[in-house]
Amino acid sequence: MNDDTLTRTREPFRRRAGEAGLLAADLSVLAKPLTPEEAIGTPGRRDFPILVGKERVVEARVGEGRGHAFTDTPREFLGPLSEAIDLPFDGNGNRAIYLAALNATLRHLDRVEGTVHCRDDDP
């Protein structure tokens, strides 16, 4: 996903979060890197990129929603949803936090399912 695609999602994301009262709510986005086991469990196969490479999964929580995003530069973030939406797309870490927050928000609003990575032997 390139920055143009992300940029096009920013205003609709902000609008939907605002309509749901999530921007003004006393709500923080917690994003943190997960260990491979936290992210995908213990699958029978060992050839997943997260197990053999440098990629990690970042998880964000927004209300009752959880969202994942893969990145090669995981980092933590704790702040209001409005700050997660406004993160500059100047690095993979920020892009992953933004995407994880977007996934978590849409899950919290029951707009999407499947916002967290599969676990163990699930597809």
Side-chain angles (χ1 to χ4, degrees), residues 19 25 48 50 55 74 84 90 94 98 121 123:
E19 290 167 356
F48 289 98
I50 192 171
E55 280 199 344
D90 60 356
N94 281 352
Y98 174 86
D121 290 320

Side-chain angles (χ1 to χ4, degrees), residues 30-34 38 57-61 74-77 97:
L30 170 62
K32 66 175 189 160
L34 302 178
E38 289 173 317
V57 171
V58 173
E59 178 177 277
R61 292 179 183 254
R75 67 180 193 85
E76 292 186 3
F77 173 86
I97 289 169

